[in-house]
Amino acid sequence: MIQAFGLTSNPRQELPPAVDDVSFEAPTGRVTALLGAHASGKTTAVRLMLELQQGRGITHFRGRPLHRIPHPSREVGVLLGEVQGHPSRTVRGQLRMLCAAVGVPVQRADEVLEVVGIVSLREQRLGTLSRGMDRRLGLACALLADPHTLVLDAPADGLSARESKWLHGILRAHASLGGTVLFTTDDAKEAARTADRVVSLESGRVIADQGVADFSRTRLRPRVAVRSPHAARLGVLLAKEARATQRSVEVVNEDGNRLSVYGSNCADVGETAFRHSILVHQLADEVGDAGPAVRVPVRVRNEEVRGPEPTAPQATRAEASPLAAEPSEPATPSAQAPAHPSPAQDSPHSTSTFVPLPTDADLDGVASRAATPPADDPDSEASGTASAPAPPPAPLSPLPPPITIHPARSPLRPLRYEVRRATGIATGYLTAAAVLVASAIVAVLLGRTGHTPQSRLLAAWPQQLPLPPAALGAGLLGAFAFGDEFRHPALAADRGTVPRRLGLLCAKLAVAAAIAVLLAFLVVASDVLLLHLVYGEELTEVPADWLSTSASWLALVVGCAWAGVLAAGVFRSTTAGLAAVLAVPVLVVPVVQKALEGPSVRTAAGLPSRLRDLALVHWPFGAERFLAAVLRMITQPVGGALMLSLTALLCAYLLTVLRPRAR
């Protein structure tokens, strides 16, 4: 069951809030439609329910708010707009990646593809899907974790009649299995055909909450309710005038002295009755009632702000009866007026009662009367002055609790998710191919000159370039790790952008390092093969210090990949990630060298040689060689600047992660 209490969006400049005090229920095993015209507040209400937009109110999904559910994707399946994903990713790849995100077996992707009927499109790219197929894929994403509740925003928008009928059948089947379905629509006929209950919104307020039978009879076909002792005669006269004027008017004789006139209005019916001197007891336009009011007492709302919410929503509604039943002093007219009209005023058929929201004065009066013992109580006289007076009640807020936007959770299987994300599109493969081709061309040109050291020749790193192509490619691949996801959100369609959690960061760093190492080996191997083919064995000799050189080469490539990952995560841009990699040799290296060798009384110019002297100490098992290699990498200008850049980016990333938690 879904229970929405007091959903209110933040006010806009010189405009009323898009959603104002919206409360309704969507029962289990039923399909509920949230009906309203364009800009009536349907999407805003859904986003407030899912805690995607700041405002006030609270929504319970089977008795718990969304932020109190350990795994929201397994409780609530969401479809908001188009499928969020890279346009080059395949349908099956998108679902398999989301399987790792929500923690379900990968076979679930094939199962939901069969459910929504797009098995034949599993290898098609997201960017090539039609509107109907995109809707089917979005429904598959919502059903992936087998949730109890489905919340869909305009799922049939832009679909054909056949596709809409299929979609409504899926929603009906999910509800028949014990699930809860809530969808928004602006088509009254669609709501009448599909839903069991229809909640109508207008200008951000609930104007009707009805069963589908009442909705079809009243709101789908607005009528004029007439009550007269001469109802039969009036009905004949109205039908005769309609035929004479060639108007489509239907008159239905209800029980007793009541008429329901469809296709007319109060003015025409009243004039007909006046002309023929027919007494009328009731004459009203009837467009449905507001249904049973769902209200949250002020006391419960204040507890939501101060502490945890009640465990069951029934307790929330039960507290309204003693407050409403207790007589209170007259309040101001504004406080007495309910937010919505009473059902008894809207429709004579309604039997529900409206319980107004108690004011602060009402609650204070109830608390004071409860604290004061009655005059005939013997215990009160016996206690005398021994009993301390009750403390004054704490002020209660008349507003519903605020809605806070909670960040998306990390994938339940982050490493598997990251592997599927990195290998699911062709961008990484094309980048690696471009790096191999560029490195091969540069290595051949450097081998022709004959003045390049062997280590730089094998790495295809000329003196004129700040970084070799392999390092730039690794940095670009690392920048894709976050940059593409912020452009094309892939995690949790109901949350949008990717969360910057430490678990996900570790998975991205591990995958980026593995890709960088693989790319570094492929570059060296391809350069060696090409140089041997073009120039023979002369340029393919292994350097004497191959161990330290290889470690330096791998550290450079991995460091560039990590710099791209961290910068893209901080700035949410692939371009910013690649710019951070290029900034190391272009900007950071000159600054570090100037700081170490600048004119001063004392200089740190000899720091590299003094650090290398530390390796002269005898270490067990020959560890001084490895230590010397590490110190040699650190004392290199690019290596030291890269470590400084990585440290700064990591601190910035941690700051962006911890700052929302501190708030």
Side-chain angles (χ1 to χ4, degrees):
M1 173 182 287
I2 302 176
Q3 295 174 305
F5 305 113
L7 298 179
T8 304
S9 60
N10 291 334
R12 300 167 292 178
Q13 294 182 354
E14 301 179 357
L15 292 174
V19 172
D20 188 6
D21 196 20
V22 170
S23 301
F24 63 91
E25 290 184 358
T28 302
R30 296 291 185 269
V31 178
T32 304
L34 199 60
L35 175 65
H38 179 69
S40 60
K42 305 185 301 297
T43 301
T44 303
V46 169
R47 294 183 64 84
L48 290 172
M49 292 171 56
L50 299 174
E51 299 177 357
L52 301 179
Q53 181 173 333
Q54 292 183 347
R56 288 192 170 273
I58 190 170
T59 303
H60 286 171
F61 296 91
R62 291 204 289 181
R64 292 181 296 174
L66 195 64
H67 62 272
R68 295 293 178 89
I69 300 176
H71 304 298
S73 299
R74 298 183 180 181
E75 176 66 27
V76 184
V78 178
L79 174 58
L80 298 178
E82 298 181 353
V83 176
Q84 301 293 328
H86 198 285
S88 298
R89 199 178 303 277
T90 62
V91 170
R92 192 180 185 186
Q94 176 79 6
L95 291 176
R96 283 173 172 259
M97 183 180 59
L98 293 180
C99 285
V102 300
V104 297
V106 71
Q107 293 80 8
R108 180 64 180 169
D110 297 326
E111 294 176 2
V112 295
L113 284 176
E114 293 182 0
V115 170
V116 300
I118 54 175
V119 178
S120 60
L121 304 179
R122 58 180 178 268
E123 300 301 331
Q124 193 166 346
R125 308 291 178 179
L126 299 185
T128 62
L129 295 179
S130 63
R131 178 66 175 177
M133 296 302 103
D134 184 85
R135 295 284 86 187
R136 290 182 181 237
L137 178 58
L139 185 59
C141 295
L143 294 172
L144 194 61
D146 195 15
H148 174 271
T149 303
L150 291 180
V151 179
L152 315 174
D153 185 22
D157 186 19
L159 299 185
S160 63
R162 180 180 178 182
E163 291 173 333
S164 299
K165 184 178 180 180
W166 171 87
L167 175 64
H168 298 155
I170 290 290
L171 301 184
R172 176 63 58 189
H174 184 81
S176 64
L177 295 176
T180 304
V181 177
L182 173 68
F183 73 97
T184 67
T185 181
D186 56 359
D187 188 355
K189 294 183 179 180
E190 177 190 358
R193 287 193 305 264
T194 308
D196 300 307
R197 190 161 195 86
V198 181
V199 180
S200 301
L201 293 182
E202 184 176 333
S203 300
R205 288 179 175 269
V206 176
I207 60 173
D209 187 352
Q210 307 165 281
V212 67
D214 293 337
F215 171 79
S216 300
R217 189 181 65 251
T218 59
R219 298 200 61 82
L220 191 59
R221 297 181 62 196
R223 64 179 179 177
V224 178
V226 183
R227 181 174 295 178
S228 171
H230 309 286
R233 180 188 171 198
L234 180 58
V236 172
L237 293 173
L238 290 173
K240 185 183 297 185
E241 290 187 359
R243 287 193 300 268
T245 57
Q246 296 182 353
R247 291 186 302 155
S248 177
V249 176
E250 180 182 358
V251 180
V252 179
N253 292 317
E254 305 286 351
D255 297 336
N257 56 358
R258 292 167 49 195
L259 292 177
S260 293
V261 183
Y262 297 93
S264 185
N265 52 53
C266 287
D268 293 341
V269 176
E271 290 177 1
T272 301
F274 177 77
R275 285 196 304 268
H276 296 85
S277 301
I278 297 177
L279 178 64
V280 176
H281 291 163
Q282 181 191 12
L283 185 63
D285 285 321
E286 198 171 83
V287 291
D289 55 74
V294 181
R295 295 291 180 184
V296 182
V298 179
R299 185 182 304 277
V300 176
R301 289 177 176 175
N302 193 55
E303 290 175 357
E304 287 287 342
V305 178
R306 295 195 303 261
E309 72 285 339
T311 56
Q314 287 78 5
T316 303
R317 296 195 301 273
E319 295 186 15
S321 55
L323 297 175
E326 190 72 29
S328 58
E329 298 179 0
T332 59
S334 61
Q336 290 179 346
H340 306 296
S342 172
Q345 298 174 358
D346 274 356
S347 173
H349 306 287
S350 177
T351 59
S352 60
T353 57
F354 179 80
V355 181
L357 187 66
T359 61
D360 290 341
D362 298 333
L363 295 174
D364 294 342
V366 174
S368 61
R369 285 192 294 273
T372 305
D376 55 351
D377 190 359
D379 294 336
S380 62
E381 296 179 0
S383 59
T385 58
S387 60
L396 300 175
S397 172
L399 299 175
I403 297 176
T404 304
I405 299 178
H406 297 273
R409 287 171 167 79
S410 295
L412 296 182
R413 299 170 182 174
L415 188 60
R416 185 178 301 179
Y417 164 82
E418 181 59 23
V419 170
R420 295 192 180 279
R421 183 211 62 79
T423 59
I425 57 177
T427 305
Y429 301 106
L430 295 178
T431 303
V435 168
L436 292 177
V437 172
S439 299
I441 295 175
V442 171
V444 171
L445 295 178
L446 291 178
R448 186 177 181 180
T449 59
H451 302 292
T452 305
Q454 185 70 11
S455 58
R456 282 183 169 267
L457 178 62
L458 297 180
W461 188 0
Q463 297 285 351
Q464 295 79 9
L465 292 181
L467 288 174
L472 292 176
L476 182 58
L477 292 175
F480 285 147
F482 269 119
D484 276 348
E485 283 187 321
F486 283 115
R487 288 181 56 200
H488 311 287
L491 257 183
D494 56 331
R495 292 293 176 180
T497 56
V498 180
R500 289 177 288 188
R501 300 294 181 89
L502 296 182
L504 183 60
L505 174 65
C506 294
K508 289 184 179 295
L509 292 179
V511 173
I515 294 176
V517 170
L518 179 61
L519 183 63
F521 276 115
L522 289 177
V523 166
V524 173
S526 62
D527 291 347
V528 169
L529 291 176
L530 190 60
L531 290 174
H532 178 76
L533 179 63
V534 176
Y535 300 108
E537 299 180 356
E538 182 181 358
L539 298 180
T540 58
E541 296 179 357
V542 178
D545 55 346
W546 65 271
L547 181 61
S548 60
T549 303
S550 300
S552 301
W553 170 240
L554 295 179
L556 174 65
V557 177
V558 172
C560 290
W562 284 358
V565 172
L566 293 173
V570 172
F571 301 107
R572 303 188 176 189
S573 171
T574 304
T575 305
L578 184 60
V581 176
L582 288 172
V584 172
V586 176
L587 298 177
V588 182
V589 170
V591 171
V592 172
Q593 288 181 341
K594 186 176 181 180
L596 293 178
E597 300 176 0
S600 59
V601 177
R602 293 181 177 88
T603 179
L607 178 61
S609 60
R610 289 191 293 271
L611 287 176
R612 283 193 295 268
D613 292 340
L614 294 177
L616 298 178
V617 181
H618 293 284
W619 295 83
F621 307 106
E624 64 272 6
R625 292 183 300 170
F626 300 99
L627 181 60
V630 172
L631 293 177
R632 190 180 299 109
M633 287 185 293
I634 296 176
T635 55
Q636 290 176 358
V638 177
L642 187 58
M643 289 190 60
L644 181 63
S645 178
L646 287 176
T647 304
L649 289 174
L650 183 59
C651 293
Y653 189 94
L654 294 176
L655 180 63
T656 58
V657 171
L658 298 177
R659 184 173 58 183
R661 298 182 183 179
R663 290 179 179 177

